[in-house]
Amino acid sequence: MSQQSAQPPSSSGSAWAAGGTVFAGVLMVVEGIMGFLQGLVAIHRDDVYTRVGDYIYAFSLTSWGWIHVVLGLLVALTGVGILLDQEWARFVGIGLASLTILLQFMFLPYQPLWALISIAIGVFIVWALATDQPVKPSAGAPQAPQAPPAPPAPDQPAWNPPTKPTESGPQA
């Protein structure tokens, strides 16, 4: 039977938050690519999206397309930074996910279902990036405990008694 010691992935002790950070990075890459593609469609084909009603936040679809292209690229690159465990990416990711939530709210009349799904994804990303605090080892911090040594094999004695010095000749 072997024992494995696992150090918690974050100082908050929440495995959900630590795993959620990796998942948030993946979601940011996917959502960034989807936003980029969504923007390209809006730029090139004005007849793909239809407005559901009169809405106060009215932009032309070409403007929305450029907003989605630029934001999609930034979100995807930040997601890659999160997956590479870059400290800057955590803060930028929170800001971009918050901005995405606001912009998807404003994009509701054009694509209601996807906008609501994207808002929910953005809320999860903000939560995951804000709750997981990575552990940074400091110079004077104690290291993680090491696993105990393996027990001796059955044919080896568990303890070797000290040997007596050999007599090499007359002692004076």
PDB file of all heavy atoms in Angstrom, residues 1 8-9 20 24 28 40 47 50 64 68 79 89 108-109 111-112 121 123 137 146 148 161-162 166:
ATOM      1  N   MET A   1       0.850  -1.158   0.000  1.00  0.00           N
ATOM      2  CA  MET A   1       0.000   0.000   0.000  1.00  0.00           C
ATOM      3  C   MET A   1       0.902   1.229   0.000  1.00  0.00           C
ATOM      4  O   MET A   1       1.742   1.398   0.845  1.00  0.00           O
ATOM      5  CB  MET A   1      -0.870  -0.038   1.255  1.00  0.00           C
ATOM      6  CG  MET A   1      -1.735   1.182   1.376  1.00  0.00           C
ATOM      7  SD  MET A   1      -2.988   1.004   2.618  1.00  0.00           S
ATOM      8  CE  MET A   1      -2.130   1.569   4.059  1.00  0.00           C
ATOM      9  N   PRO A   8      -3.027  20.840  -1.225  1.00  0.00           N
ATOM     10  CA  PRO A   8      -4.164  21.523  -1.816  1.00  0.00           C
ATOM     11  C   PRO A   8      -3.709  22.517  -2.879  1.00  0.00           C
ATOM     12  O   PRO A   8      -2.685  23.171  -2.721  1.00  0.00           O
ATOM     13  CB  PRO A   8      -4.838  22.243  -0.646  1.00  0.00           C
ATOM     14  CG  PRO A   8      -3.917  22.142   0.498  1.00  0.00           C
ATOM     15  CD  PRO A   8      -2.910  21.081   0.197  1.00  0.00           C
ATOM     16  N   PRO A   9      -4.451  22.625  -3.988  1.00  0.00           N
ATOM     17  CA  PRO A   9      -4.005  23.468  -5.073  1.00  0.00           C
ATOM     18  C   PRO A   9      -4.103  24.951  -4.799  1.00  0.00           C
ATOM     19  O   PRO A   9      -3.587  25.744  -5.544  1.00  0.00           O
ATOM     20  CB  PRO A   9      -4.938  23.078  -6.221  1.00  0.00           C
ATOM     21  CG  PRO A   9      -6.133  22.485  -5.578  1.00  0.00           C
ATOM     22  CD  PRO A   9      -5.671  21.907  -4.277  1.00  0.00           C
ATOM     23  N   GLY A  20     -11.753  24.977 -11.375  1.00  0.00           N
ATOM     24  CA  GLY A  20     -12.537  25.946 -12.117  1.00  0.00           C
ATOM     25  C   GLY A  20     -11.676  26.939 -12.855  1.00  0.00           C
ATOM     26  O   GLY A  20     -12.074  27.459 -13.907  1.00  0.00           O
ATOM     27  N   ALA A  24     -12.078  27.661 -16.549  1.00  0.00           N
ATOM     28  CA  ALA A  24     -12.330  29.036 -16.979  1.00  0.00           C
ATOM     29  C   ALA A  24     -11.395  29.422 -18.120  1.00  0.00           C
ATOM     30  O   ALA A  24     -11.807  30.104 -19.063  1.00  0.00           O
ATOM     31  CB  ALA A  24     -12.159  30.001 -15.804  1.00  0.00           C
ATOM     32  N   MET A  28     -12.657  30.457 -21.743  1.00  0.00           N
ATOM     33  CA  MET A  28     -12.292  31.738 -22.338  1.00  0.00           C
ATOM     34  C   MET A  28     -11.740  31.552 -23.745  1.00  0.00           C
ATOM     35  O   MET A  28     -12.044  32.350 -24.645  1.00  0.00           O
ATOM     36  CB  MET A  28     -11.295  32.481 -21.460  1.00  0.00           C
ATOM     37  CG  MET A  28     -11.925  33.065 -20.212  1.00  0.00           C
ATOM     38  SD  MET A  28     -10.801  34.076 -19.261  1.00  0.00           S
ATOM     39  CE  MET A  28     -10.810  35.578 -20.240  1.00  0.00           C
ATOM     40  N   LEU A  40     -17.231  37.901 -37.181  1.00  0.00           N
ATOM     41  CA  LEU A  40     -17.025  37.811 -38.626  1.00  0.00           C
ATOM     42  C   LEU A  40     -18.346  37.669 -39.372  1.00  0.00           C
ATOM     43  O   LEU A  40     -18.546  38.278 -40.428  1.00  0.00           O
ATOM     44  CB  LEU A  40     -16.113  36.625 -38.954  1.00  0.00           C
ATOM     45  CG  LEU A  40     -14.632  36.792 -38.661  1.00  0.00           C
ATOM     46  CD1 LEU A  40     -13.867  35.540 -39.046  1.00  0.00           C
ATOM     47  CD2 LEU A  40     -14.073  38.001 -39.390  1.00  0.00           C
ATOM     48  N   ASP A  47     -27.659  39.892 -42.812  1.00  0.00           N
ATOM     49  CA  ASP A  47     -28.973  39.255 -42.744  1.00  0.00           C
ATOM     50  C   ASP A  47     -29.000  38.006 -41.866  1.00  0.00           C
ATOM     51  O   ASP A  47     -30.030  37.351 -41.756  1.00  0.00           O
ATOM     52  CB  ASP A  47     -29.478  38.921 -44.147  1.00  0.00           C
ATOM     53  CG  ASP A  47     -28.545  37.989 -44.897  1.00  0.00           C
ATOM     54  OD1 ASP A  47     -27.407  37.779 -44.442  1.00  0.00           O
ATOM     55  OD2 ASP A  47     -28.962  37.470 -45.960  1.00  0.00           O
ATOM     56  N   THR A  50     -31.221  38.765 -36.720  1.00  0.00           N
ATOM     57  CA  THR A  50     -32.428  39.585 -36.791  1.00  0.00           C
ATOM     58  C   THR A  50     -32.698  40.161 -35.420  1.00  0.00           C
ATOM     59  O   THR A  50     -32.470  39.511 -34.401  1.00  0.00           O
ATOM     60  CB  THR A  50     -33.644  38.745 -37.234  1.00  0.00           C
ATOM     61  OG1 THR A  50     -33.828  37.685 -36.314  1.00  0.00           O
ATOM     62  CG2 THR A  50     -33.452  38.211 -38.628  1.00  0.00           C
ATOM     63  N   TRP A  64     -21.277  45.861 -34.152  1.00  0.00           N
ATOM     64  CA  TRP A  64     -21.280  44.719 -33.236  1.00  0.00           C
ATOM     65  C   TRP A  64     -20.267  43.672 -33.688  1.00  0.00           C
ATOM     66  O   TRP A  64     -19.606  43.041 -32.862  1.00  0.00           O
ATOM     67  CB  TRP A  64     -22.671  44.087 -33.163  1.00  0.00           C
ATOM     68  CG  TRP A  64     -23.569  44.735 -32.177  1.00  0.00           C
ATOM     69  CD1 TRP A  64     -24.749  45.353 -32.437  1.00  0.00           C
ATOM     70  CD2 TRP A  64     -23.357  44.841 -30.772  1.00  0.00           C
ATOM     71  NE1 TRP A  64     -25.291  45.846 -31.279  1.00  0.00           N
ATOM     72  CE2 TRP A  64     -24.451  45.539 -30.233  1.00  0.00           C
ATOM     73  CE3 TRP A  64     -22.352  44.438 -29.906  1.00  0.00           C
ATOM     74  CZ2 TRP A  64     -24.575  45.831 -28.887  1.00  0.00           C
ATOM     75  CZ3 TRP A  64     -22.470  44.725 -28.563  1.00  0.00           C
ATOM     76  CH2 TRP A  64     -23.565  45.410 -28.064  1.00  0.00           C
ATOM     77  N   HIS A  68     -17.210  42.237 -31.423  1.00  0.00           N
ATOM     78  CA  HIS A  68     -17.048  40.811 -31.119  1.00  0.00           C
ATOM     79  C   HIS A  68     -15.711  40.258 -31.611  1.00  0.00           C
ATOM     80  O   HIS A  68     -15.108  39.407 -30.946  1.00  0.00           O
ATOM     81  CB  HIS A  68     -18.203  40.002 -31.712  1.00  0.00           C
ATOM     82  CG  HIS A  68     -19.463  40.104 -30.917  1.00  0.00           C
ATOM     83  ND1 HIS A  68     -19.623  39.489 -29.698  1.00  0.00           N
ATOM     84  CD2 HIS A  68     -20.621  40.743 -31.168  1.00  0.00           C
ATOM     85  CE1 HIS A  68     -20.824  39.753 -29.225  1.00  0.00           C
ATOM     86  NE2 HIS A  68     -21.457  40.517 -30.103  1.00  0.00           N
ATOM     87  N   GLY A  79      -7.381  33.688 -22.204  1.00  0.00           N
ATOM     88  CA  GLY A  79      -7.615  32.301 -21.804  1.00  0.00           C
ATOM     89  C   GLY A  79      -6.363  31.451 -21.938  1.00  0.00           C
ATOM     90  O   GLY A  79      -6.055  30.624 -21.079  1.00  0.00           O
ATOM     91  N   ALA A  89      -2.931  37.313 -16.471  1.00  0.00           N
ATOM     92  CA  ALA A  89      -4.111  36.800 -17.160  1.00  0.00           C
ATOM     93  C   ALA A  89      -5.301  36.673 -16.214  1.00  0.00           C
ATOM     94  O   ALA A  89      -6.452  36.815 -16.644  1.00  0.00           O
ATOM     95  CB  ALA A  89      -3.800  35.455 -17.804  1.00  0.00           C
ATOM     96  N   LEU A 108     -28.430  41.096 -26.506  1.00  0.00           N
ATOM     97  CA  LEU A 108     -29.604  40.231 -26.321  1.00  0.00           C
ATOM     98  C   LEU A 108     -30.610  40.268 -27.473  1.00  0.00           C
ATOM     99  O   LEU A 108     -31.118  39.213 -27.864  1.00  0.00           O
ATOM    100  CB  LEU A 108     -30.319  40.579 -25.007  1.00  0.00           C
ATOM    101  CG  LEU A 108     -29.843  39.846 -23.765  1.00  0.00           C
ATOM    102  CD1 LEU A 108     -30.450  40.478 -22.524  1.00  0.00           C
ATOM    103  CD2 LEU A 108     -30.165  38.383 -23.829  1.00  0.00           C
ATOM    104  N   PRO A 109     -30.954  41.420 -28.058  1.00  0.00           N
ATOM    105  CA  PRO A 109     -31.978  41.401 -29.102  1.00  0.00           C
ATOM    106  C   PRO A 109     -31.557  40.661 -30.370  1.00  0.00           C
ATOM    107  O   PRO A 109     -32.401  40.242 -31.139  1.00  0.00           O
ATOM    108  CB  PRO A 109     -32.212  42.874 -29.432  1.00  0.00           C
ATOM    109  CG  PRO A 109     -31.516  43.655 -28.422  1.00  0.00           C
ATOM    110  CD  PRO A 109     -30.560  42.772 -27.724  1.00  0.00           C
ATOM    111  N   GLN A 111     -29.289  37.913 -30.527  1.00  0.00           N
ATOM    112  CA  GLN A 111     -29.103  36.482 -30.311  1.00  0.00           C
ATOM    113  C   GLN A 111     -29.420  36.173 -28.847  1.00  0.00           C
ATOM    114  O   GLN A 111     -28.523  35.952 -28.032  1.00  0.00           O
ATOM    115  CB  GLN A 111     -27.660  36.103 -30.639  1.00  0.00           C
ATOM    116  CG  GLN A 111     -27.536  34.792 -31.320  1.00  0.00           C
ATOM    117  CD  GLN A 111     -26.112  34.539 -31.758  1.00  0.00           C
ATOM    118  OE1 GLN A 111     -25.181  35.211 -31.368  1.00  0.00           O
ATOM    119  NE2 GLN A 111     -25.953  33.532 -32.574  1.00  0.00           N
ATOM    120  N   PRO A 112     -30.695  36.101 -28.484  1.00  0.00           N
ATOM    121  CA  PRO A 112     -31.077  36.012 -27.064  1.00  0.00           C
ATOM    122  C   PRO A 112     -30.559  34.771 -26.348  1.00  0.00           C
ATOM    123  O   PRO A 112     -30.018  34.885 -25.248  1.00  0.00           O
ATOM    124  CB  PRO A 112     -32.602  36.034 -27.090  1.00  0.00           C
ATOM    125  CG  PRO A 112     -32.995  36.445 -28.453  1.00  0.00           C
ATOM    126  CD  PRO A 112     -31.851  36.209 -29.353  1.00  0.00           C
ATOM    127  N   ILE A 121     -21.730  31.848 -18.673  1.00  0.00           N
ATOM    128  CA  ILE A 121     -20.321  31.430 -18.762  1.00  0.00           C
ATOM    129  C   ILE A 121     -19.421  32.520 -18.188  1.00  0.00           C
ATOM    130  O   ILE A 121     -18.470  32.242 -17.449  1.00  0.00           O
ATOM    131  CB  ILE A 121     -19.948  31.102 -20.222  1.00  0.00           C
ATOM    132  CG1 ILE A 121     -20.638  29.804 -20.652  1.00  0.00           C
ATOM    133  CG2 ILE A 121     -18.443  30.987 -20.392  1.00  0.00           C
ATOM    134  CD1 ILE A 121     -20.509  29.507 -22.135  1.00  0.00           C
ATOM    135  N   VAL A 123     -20.165  34.748 -15.892  1.00  0.00           N
ATOM    136  CA  VAL A 123     -20.296  34.766 -14.426  1.00  0.00           C
ATOM    137  C   VAL A 123     -19.444  33.661 -13.814  1.00  0.00           C
ATOM    138  O   VAL A 123     -18.739  33.870 -12.822  1.00  0.00           O
ATOM    139  CB  VAL A 123     -21.780  34.633 -14.011  1.00  0.00           C
ATOM    140  CG1 VAL A 123     -21.914  34.372 -12.526  1.00  0.00           C
ATOM    141  CG2 VAL A 123     -22.546  35.874 -14.403  1.00  0.00           C
ATOM    142  N   PRO A 137       5.239  29.841  -3.422  1.00  0.00           N
ATOM    143  CA  PRO A 137       6.229  29.484  -2.407  1.00  0.00           C
ATOM    144  C   PRO A 137       7.177  30.644  -2.157  1.00  0.00           C
ATOM    145  O   PRO A 137       7.677  31.256  -3.086  1.00  0.00           O
ATOM    146  CB  PRO A 137       6.963  28.288  -3.016  1.00  0.00           C
ATOM    147  CG  PRO A 137       6.743  28.411  -4.486  1.00  0.00           C
ATOM    148  CD  PRO A 137       5.430  29.117  -4.664  1.00  0.00           C
ATOM    149  N   GLN A 146       7.388  15.363   2.528  1.00  0.00           N
ATOM    150  CA  GLN A 146       7.746  14.306   1.602  1.00  0.00           C
ATOM    151  C   GLN A 146       7.076  13.000   2.034  1.00  0.00           C
ATOM    152  O   GLN A 146       6.784  12.797   3.203  1.00  0.00           O
ATOM    153  CB  GLN A 146       9.274  14.115   1.578  1.00  0.00           C
ATOM    154  CG  GLN A 146      10.028  15.340   1.115  1.00  0.00           C
ATOM    155  CD  GLN A 146       9.737  15.679  -0.331  1.00  0.00           C
ATOM    156  OE1 GLN A 146       9.567  14.795  -1.151  1.00  0.00           O
ATOM    157  NE2 GLN A 146       9.648  16.961  -0.636  1.00  0.00           N
ATOM    158  N   PRO A 148       6.794   9.212   3.162  1.00  0.00           N
ATOM    159  CA  PRO A 148       7.715   8.405   3.971  1.00  0.00           C
ATOM    160  C   PRO A 148       8.445   7.395   3.090  1.00  0.00           C
ATOM    161  O   PRO A 148       7.955   7.009   2.037  1.00  0.00           O
ATOM    162  CB  PRO A 148       6.788   7.701   4.975  1.00  0.00           C
ATOM    163  CG  PRO A 148       5.440   7.749   4.359  1.00  0.00           C
ATOM    164  CD  PRO A 148       5.410   8.968   3.488  1.00  0.00           C
ATOM    165  N   PRO A 161      21.904  -4.065  13.051  1.00  0.00           N
ATOM    166  CA  PRO A 161      22.637  -3.705  14.264  1.00  0.00           C
ATOM    167  C   PRO A 161      24.034  -3.208  13.893  1.00  0.00           C
ATOM    168  O   PRO A 161      24.590  -3.595  12.876  1.00  0.00           O
ATOM    169  CB  PRO A 161      22.710  -5.017  15.058  1.00  0.00           C
ATOM    170  CG  PRO A 161      22.506  -6.090  14.053  1.00  0.00           C
ATOM    171  CD  PRO A 161      21.684  -5.499  12.954  1.00  0.00           C
ATOM    172  N   PRO A 162      24.588  -2.306  14.718  1.00  0.00           N
ATOM    173  CA  PRO A 162      25.941  -1.820  14.422  1.00  0.00           C
ATOM    174  C   PRO A 162      26.948  -2.974  14.523  1.00  0.00           C
ATOM    175  O   PRO A 162      26.806  -3.876  15.336  1.00  0.00           O
ATOM    176  CB  PRO A 162      26.187  -0.756  15.481  1.00  0.00           C
ATOM    177  CG  PRO A 162      25.163  -0.971  16.530  1.00  0.00           C
ATOM    178  CD  PRO A 162      24.028  -1.717  15.910  1.00  0.00           C
ATOM    179  N   THR A 166      36.604  -4.610  13.914  1.00  0.00           N
ATOM    180  CA  THR A 166      37.460  -5.807  13.803  1.00  0.00           C
ATOM    181  C   THR A 166      38.795  -5.535  14.421  1.00  0.00           C
ATOM    182  O   THR A 166      39.302  -4.420  14.408  1.00  0.00           O
ATOM    183  CB  THR A 166      37.649  -6.174  12.319  1.00  0.00           C
ATOM    184  OG1 THR A 166      38.236  -5.069  11.661  1.00  0.00           O
ATOM    185  CG2 THR A 166      36.324  -6.524  11.668  1.00  0.00           C
TER     186      THR A 166
END
